[in-house]
């Protein structure tokens, strides 16, 4: 149970996917049965004088010696795993028992540790996270900086490099040995494709209507109702918040206390402190690469006096007590561009917001030339934020100092910006009236009503995806795209990984377009090879073979039916709640030059370079040209190529296919026996 636990760390994830999952209930039941059988059988063996008598029989004696040697060897192996290196065979019976007791103690201790770890009481004793600062140079000439979501996409907006369309350096702060936070979440993540996301809120402070959760039909499909819809509908800003106010210039970061909230006690204290504030600023940091729906990793809150960094991974199940503050209509919550934050808050932390002021909405209302937070900071605080860490892996713990500073800066100045913008709105309103301010508050309140929708795969989802790409596919290629698309979606849900981690869009399109006849052709479309492509190569291969078998008809998609073939013209509908400008995971990136943690020098490239080599070697023996490498006398290799017929290649690749098929069958059998055992 414990020796494989280290699989929860990043580099080992690959093996995790090939290992069949164990049902612990039946595992321990079976184990118990085996142990009691063993005891019964051993009790049935003759003892004392009877035993000596039986020993006269040669065959009895042989069986007993062989079996006891086998058992002692097994025990030695088990003890060795737990670093007990004594040889049990050479010990007296008393010493043997002592050794076994010692071994059992160690095993039980480990079991206890693992249970604590699973319950989130104790963190795994891991190697420290090795933070890697990967700098990538990406040309900024695509759609990203042409949207008005400059803030979201901004990598140094309007920098000279950008103007000149030169590659811009982007820092991807990532790390090795990052624990998958999902492994210690108490709530079960439901990635299923057939059931809408379900709110987990259990307590509804500041309510007008008691908490009731029910399913509704919406234009985006079935969804649970928004628990605070009524309160948001009836929300009225306080008279005080509609008044002009002299902005309070924020203190420097150095002069502002930073509180890191990592325990329930600290959190409760924070709630008490926040009660006395009229306005607070809030922001979130999110991770979407190694999870299907995404994970909120950090919450920043600033008051006029203090900055708080709240570990939303550790306190995921506790944070809903902040609803007391977040839904209190007399406290203004300032966000910048909260469309995603609102969804992340409800999805991960059961938090909702009543009385929000979104500075992004205000900048829009005021008709500013840019709407990013970076722009507002520059304009009003003469502060140029270092947006380099925007794409950092926010799961890293402990959080590096650079990230802490970066995160603080997102809320530290926000209250001041709010006050300035509020005055500006009042000034530009109808003869100094509050109509513009009210409009911004109304729009912010609409943002609060946004619901989180789980991504749902529909029959024709792949066609939406296809329409956005620049390629023209015939029916075979479309067939491959359809089935690879749903294969990727299914695997991502099962493994709780993003679609991009399973197979980046450009690789998916490349494979569907080229329809490689052989497995190494699939690998050739992928650089680097995603770990789950490696372990599911055969399934992908079968999909492509089937696609190739389809009778070829003329391209079925006409050019003019492909409305937005060019990504650069592709308009983002920001009012669509499914659209999450922060979150790249579900957005088609058709450019191969976008930053992805899949790129070289990051995460699994380091881990899987060798794997890739091995795999390619395994398969390359079976390519059209067979190279019979025979070393020359000087040690160099003479490569002679011999052309192989397709049948010969098939024969060579067969053993690989067979082992892969056997693995798959084993996995399926496991799954079936599990579902049989599971009570319905
Ligand atoms: P922010 O509101 O700027 O602090 O962003 C919150 C989260 O949105 C970040 O932690 C990222 O996960 C995500 N995000 C922000 N900007 C980008 C971007 N340009 N590309 C992808 N994700 C982003
Ligand atoms: Mn934000
Ligand atoms: Zn932020």
């Amino acid at each position: 149970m414990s020796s494989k636990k280290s699989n929860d760390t990043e580099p080992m994830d690959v093996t995790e996917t090939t290992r069949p999952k164990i049902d612990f209930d039946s595992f321990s039941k079976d184990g118990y049965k085996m142990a009691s059988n063993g005891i019964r059988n051993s009790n049935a063996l003759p003892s004392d004088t009877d035993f000596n008598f039986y020993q006269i029989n040669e065959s009895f004696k042989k069986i007993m010696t062989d079996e006891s040697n086998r058992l002692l060897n097994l025990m030695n192996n088990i003890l060795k795993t737990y670093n007990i290196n004594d040889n049990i065979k050479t010990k007296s019976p008393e010493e043997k028992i002592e050794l076994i007791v010692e071994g059992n103690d160690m095993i039980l201790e480990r079991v206890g540790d693992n249970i604590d770890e699973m319950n989130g009481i104790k963190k795994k004793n891991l190697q420290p996270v090795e933070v890697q600062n990967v700098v990538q140079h990406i040309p900024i000439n695509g759609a990203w900086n042409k949207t008005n979501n400059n803030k979201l996409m901004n990598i140094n907006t309007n920098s000279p490099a950008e103007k000149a369309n030169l590659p811009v350096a982007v820092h991807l702060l990532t790390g090795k040995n990052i624990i998958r936070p999902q492994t210690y979440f108490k709530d079960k993540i439901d990635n299923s494709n057939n059931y809408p996301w379900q709110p987990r809120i259990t307590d509804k402070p500041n309510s007008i209507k008691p908490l009731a959760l029910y399913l509704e039909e919406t234009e985006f499909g079935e969804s649970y109702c928004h628990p605070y819809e009524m309160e948001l509908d009836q929300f009225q800003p306080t008279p005080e918040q509609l008044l002009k106010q002299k902005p309070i210039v924020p203190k420097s970061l150095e002069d502002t206390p930073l509180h890191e909230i990592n325990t329930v006690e600290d959190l409760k204290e924070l709630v008490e402190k926040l009660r006395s504030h009229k306005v607070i600023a809030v922001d979130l940091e999110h991770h979407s690469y190694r999870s299907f729906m995404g994970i909120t990793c950090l919450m920043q809150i600033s008051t006029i006096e203090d900055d708080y960094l709240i570990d939303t991974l550790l306190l995921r199940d506790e944070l809903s007590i902040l609803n007391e503050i977040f839904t209190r209509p007399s406290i203004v919550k300032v966000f910048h561009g909260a469309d995603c934050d609102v969804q992340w808050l409800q999805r991960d932390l059961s938090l909702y917001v009543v009385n929000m002021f979104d500075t992004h909405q205000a900048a829009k209302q005021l008709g500013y030339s840019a709407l990013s937070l970076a722009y507002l900071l520059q304009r009003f605080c003469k502060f140029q934020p270092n947006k380099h860490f925007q794409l950092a892996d926010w799961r890293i713990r402990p959080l590096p100092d650079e990230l802490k500073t970066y995160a603080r800066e997102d809320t530290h100045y926000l209250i001041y910006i709010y006050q300035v913008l509020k005055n500006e709105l009042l000034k530009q309103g109808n003869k100094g009236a509050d109509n513009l301010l009210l409009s911004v508050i109304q729009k912010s309140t609409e943002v609060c009503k946004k619901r989180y929708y789980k991504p749902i795969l529909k029959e024709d989802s792949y066609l939406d995806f296809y329409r956005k790409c620049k390629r023209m596919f015939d029916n075979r290629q479309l067939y491959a795209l359809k089935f690879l698309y749903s294969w990727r979606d299914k695997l991502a849900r099962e493994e709780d990984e993003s679609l991009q981690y399973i197979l980046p869009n450009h690789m998916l399109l490349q494979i569907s377009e080229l329809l490689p006849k052989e497995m190494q052709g699939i690998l050739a479309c992928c650089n680097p090879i995603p770990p789950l492509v490696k372990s599911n190569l055969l399934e992908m291969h079968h999909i492509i073979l089937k696609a190739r078998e389809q009778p070829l008809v003329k391209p079925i998609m006409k050019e003019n039916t492909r409305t937005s073939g060019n990504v650069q013209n592709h308009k983002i509908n920001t009012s669509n709640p499914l659209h999450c400008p922060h979150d790249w995971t579900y957005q088609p990136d058709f450019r191969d030059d976008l930053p992805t943690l899949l790129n070289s020098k990051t995460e699994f490239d380091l881990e899987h370079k060798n794997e890739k080599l091995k795999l390619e070697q395994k398969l390359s023996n079976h390519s059209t040209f067979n190279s019979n490498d025979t070393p020359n006398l000087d040690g160099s290799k003479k490569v002679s190529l011999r052309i192989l017929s397709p049948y010969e290649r098939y024969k060579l690749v067969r053993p690989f296919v067979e082992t892969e098929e056997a693995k798959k069958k084993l996995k399926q059998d496991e799954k079936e026996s599990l579902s049989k055992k599971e009570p319905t």
Side-chain angles (χ1 to χ4, degrees):
M1 165 170 175
S2 49
S3 61
K4 290 234 172 166
K5 258 287 178 170
S6 58
N7 280 349
D8 294 336
T9 63
E10 294 290 84
M12 303 289 288
D13 273 353
V14 201
T15 51
E16 176 115 69
T17 60
T18 48
R19 188 160 47 89
K21 298 207 168 60
I22 298 169
D23 168 11
F24 284 106
D25 260 355
S26 51
F27 180 77
S28 54
K29 248 187 235 153
D30 292 349
Y32 184 77
K33 219 190 270 165
M34 265 189 234
S36 54
N37 271 344
I39 293 170
R40 197 175 325 115
N41 290 338
S42 116
N43 284 343
L45 285 175
S47 55
D48 297 335
T49 45
D50 281 354
F51 186 78
N52 292 337
F53 176 69
Y54 273 89
Q55 283 284 74
I56 300 167
N57 182 318
E58 273 308 312
S59 64
F60 178 86
K61 191 172 165 186
K62 181 163 185 324
I63 290 173
M64 287 320 279
T65 342
D66 287 355
E67 278 302 298
S68 80
N69 274 339
R70 196 176 66 87
L71 287 174
L72 291 173
N73 281 338
L74 270 176
M75 285 177 187
N76 264 344
N77 283 346
I78 294 173
L79 293 174
K80 239 186 240 150
T81 320
Y82 290 88
N83 289 331
I84 304 174
N85 289 319
D86 284 341
N87 184 356
I88 198 165
K89 283 196 206 164
T90 59
K91 304 281 167 186
S92 69
E94 290 77 28
E95 288 170 330
K96 278 191 174 98
I97 289 186
E98 234 167 68
L99 265 181
I100 291 173
V101 169
E102 192 185 336
N104 275 344
D105 283 350
M106 294 190 74
I107 292 172
L108 290 175
E109 200 175 313
R110 186 113 160 226
V111 169
D113 278 359
N114 284 336
I115 291 174
D116 284 353
E117 213 174 272
M118 260 164 60
N119 291 334
I121 297 168
K122 194 180 138 184
K123 289 300 242 354
K124 202 191 315 274
N125 238 351
L126 265 187
Q127 300 146 321
V129 172
E130 191 183 301
V131 177
Q132 302 164 327
N133 193 352
V134 179
V135 181
Q136 289 206 350
H137 294 269
I138 51 168
I140 309 283
N141 56 1
W144 299 111
N145 60 335
K146 291 200 174 137
T147 67
N148 63 3
N149 289 318
N150 267 343
K151 170 201 179 226
L152 314 172
M153 300 310 156
N154 128 336
I155 301 147
N156 220 348
T157 319
N158 293 331
S159 67
E162 186 184 336
K163 279 182 194 140
N165 275 349
L166 291 175
V168 169
V170 180
H171 292 244
L172 298 174
L173 202 64
T174 174
K176 276 166 87 176
N177 314 326
I178 298 176
I179 304 177
R180 278 173 74 76
Q182 295 98 310
T183 56
Y184 59 84
F185 288 168
K186 282 201 196 107
D187 57 297
K188 216 168 171 223
I189 291 167
D190 173 21
N191 290 334
S192 66
N193 194 41
N194 52 14
Y195 199 72
W197 175 80
Q198 189 168 8
R200 289 188 306 278
I201 179 174
T202 53
D203 190 27
K204 188 179 165 189
N206 304 308
S207 62
I208 298 174
K209 198 182 121 189
L211 177 65
L213 295 171
Y214 44 87
L215 274 170
E216 285 175 340
E217 202 54 57
T218 74
E219 59 175 310
F220 309 107
E222 253 194 342
S223 147
Y224 277 90
C225 61
H226 189 300
Y228 277 91
E229 197 148 62
M230 165 85 91
E231 287 73 12
L232 286 164
D233 280 339
Q234 300 196 3
F235 167 70
Q236 293 292 337
T238 64
E240 196 188 342
Q241 78 181 86
L242 300 177
L243 296 177
K244 212 177 147 202
Q245 171 183 23
K246 191 173 177 324
I248 302 161
V249 180
K251 282 187 275 185
S252 68
L253 282 194
E254 294 74 44
D255 293 332
T256 308
L258 171 69
H259 310 269
E260 294 180 39
I261 310 291
N262 301 321
T263 66
V264 184
E265 290 70 44
D266 290 348
L267 181 64
K268 285 183 179 157
E269 221 170 273
L270 171 64
V271 174
E272 288 317 309
K273 272 200 240 163
L274 292 179
R275 263 182 225 283
S276 61
H277 287 269
K278 293 249 154 31
V279 46
I280 62 172
V282 186
D283 186 37
L284 300 175
E285 302 306 330
H286 184 258
H287 177 87
S288 55
Y289 185 57
R290 300 300 311 271
S291 137
F292 183 69
M293 292 191 273
I295 305 167
T296 306
C297 298
L298 189 74
M299 182 191 290
Q300 305 98 287
I301 293 185
S302 289
T303 65
I304 316 228
E305 294 115 26
D306 302 88
D307 292 333
Y308 300 90
L309 291 182
I310 306 166
D311 190 332
T312 53
L313 296 177
L314 270 184
L315 296 172
R316 183 178 168 96
D317 306 301
E318 314 289 344
L319 270 160
S320 64
I321 61 168
L322 265 179
N323 268 328
E324 178 59 36
I325 307 297
F326 278 27
T327 62
R328 180 170 284 222
S330 58
I331 301 175
V332 181
K333 272 70 63 174
V334 186
F335 282 74
H336 182 90
D339 297 69
C340 289
D341 302 59
V342 160
Q343 298 175 55
W344 298 336
L345 282 171
Q346 57 186 282
R347 185 194 62 200
D348 293 344
L349 312 172
S350 301
L351 283 173
Y352 299 83
V353 185
V354 177
N355 197 357
M356 173 191 285
F357 185 96
D358 188 332
T359 50
H360 173 86
Q361 296 294 340
K364 209 157 128 189
Q365 180 70 254
L366 289 165
Y368 286 173
S369 57
L371 307 176
S372 68
L373 178 63
Y375 172 79
L376 295 180
L377 284 168
Q378 245 163 330
R379 176 164 172 163
F380 298 116
C381 307
K382 306 284 170 273
F383 167 70
Q384 178 139 22
N386 173 5
K387 280 277 160 185
H388 278 156
F389 295 116
Q390 202 162 33
L391 300 176
D393 189 332
W394 289 96
R395 299 171 306 163
I396 298 175
R397 292 295 182 277
L399 217 50
D401 285 341
E402 299 100 301
L403 289 190
K404 282 186 196 164
T405 308
Y406 172 84
R408 275 178 92 176
E409 288 168 354
D410 269 354
T411 52
H412 182 77
Y413 306 92
L414 210 49
I415 296 181
Y416 174 75
I417 291 178
Y418 156 67
Q419 291 164 340
V420 174
L421 290 175
K422 189 169 86 166
N423 289 348
E424 201 58 33
L425 286 164
L426 286 170
K427 200 167 116 195
Q428 290 193 18
N430 225 340
K431 294 188 195 124
D434 52 18
N435 57 321
L436 288 188
L437 176 57
L438 281 175
S439 157
V440 169
I441 294 174
Q442 184 50 42
K443 280 178 186 145
S444 307
T445 302
E446 288 307 312
V447 171
C448 296
K449 288 186 194 166
K450 277 181 184 276
R451 303 180 192 185
Y452 176 73
Y453 288 86
K454 192 200 288 185
I456 292 295
L457 179 82
K458 287 189 286 244
E459 203 35 39
D460 57 354
S461 298
Y462 78 102
L463 283 176
D464 294 338
F465 173 81
Y466 169 68
R467 282 192 196 99
K468 287 175 198 148
C469 79
K470 287 181 200 160
R471 313 188 193 207
M472 280 291 282
F473 279 4
D474 61 31
N475 63 307
R476 284 180 182 163
Q477 293 163 321
L478 271 179
Y479 180 100
L481 182 66
K482 176 179 178 176
F483 287 95
L484 286 175
Y485 194 85
S486 64
W487 160 81
R488 177 176 76 161
D489 181 273
K490 185 165 162 274
L491 199 59
R493 288 173 202 273
E494 280 171 9
E495 301 292 336
D496 199 16
E497 298 283 4
S498 68
L499 300 177
Q500 301 308 308
Y501 177 78
I502 305 281
L503 181 64
N505 286 339
H506 61 275
M507 296 184 193
L508 171 60
L509 286 168
Q510 190 70 4
I511 296 169
S512 311
E513 178 158 20
L514 297 185
L515 298 177
K517 205 189 288 182
E518 287 164 20
M519 277 183 274
Q520 63 266 50
I522 300 178
L523 299 180
C525 295
C526 307
N527 187 21
I529 301 175
L532 285 136
V533 164
K534 191 181 74 88
S535 51
N536 289 272
L537 194 55
L538 192 64
E539 199 165 338
M540 296 174 78
H541 179 58
H542 282 319
I543 292 175
I544 294 166
L545 287 187
K546 265 227 159 124
R548 294 176 68 99
E549 280 167 14
Q550 302 301 306
L552 187 63
V553 287
K554 286 262 169 263
I556 49 168
M557 284 289 217
K558 287 201 199 91
E559 191 73 59
N560 58 8
T561 62
R562 313 221 348 237
T563 43
S564 48
N566 189 335
V567 206
Q568 301 198 2
N569 304 332
H570 175 58
K571 285 233 169 56
I572 294 170
N573 174 10
T574 39
S575 54
N576 178 351
L578 283 173
H579 165 69
C580 212
H582 277 166
D583 194 342
W584 286 11
T585 324
Y586 308 109
Q587 284 192 3
D589 67 278
F590 298 100
R591 292 174 41 187
D592 302 1
D593 53 353
L594 290 173
T596 149
L597 294 176
L598 267 173
N599 261 323
S600 55
K601 287 202 274 325
T602 55
E603 258 211 83
F604 67 68
D605 184 55
L606 300 170
E607 302 302 323
H608 302 283
K609 218 172 219 142
N610 286 338
E611 292 284 344
K612 179 183 173 176
L613 269 176
K614 265 192 258 158
L615 196 67
E616 278 176 342
Q617 270 163 9
K618 218 191 256 177
L619 290 169
S620 69
N621 301 333
H622 317 314
S623 64
T624 314
F625 298 101
N626 189 21
S627 59
N628 299 323
D629 296 3
T630 35
N632 289 334
L633 287 177
D634 61 355
S636 69
K637 282 196 177 162
K638 181 181 81 194
V639 178
S640 61
L641 293 176
R642 185 168 70 82
I643 294 180
L644 292 178
S645 73
Y647 180 65
E648 279 175 303
R649 287 205 309 272
Y650 169 79
K651 274 202 314 197
L652 285 167
V653 95
R654 198 59 221 159
F656 172 76
V657 173
E658 271 162 9
T659 38
E660 287 296 302
E661 270 170 352
K663 261 192 241 163
K664 199 172 140 193
K665 183 156 184 325
L666 192 75
K667 213 167 158 183
Q668 214 154 15
D669 289 351
E670 281 280 340
K671 239 187 226 163
E672 268 164 28
S673 70
L674 273 189
S675 61
K676 263 183 225 146
K677 272 177 199 155
E678 248 159 40
T680 42

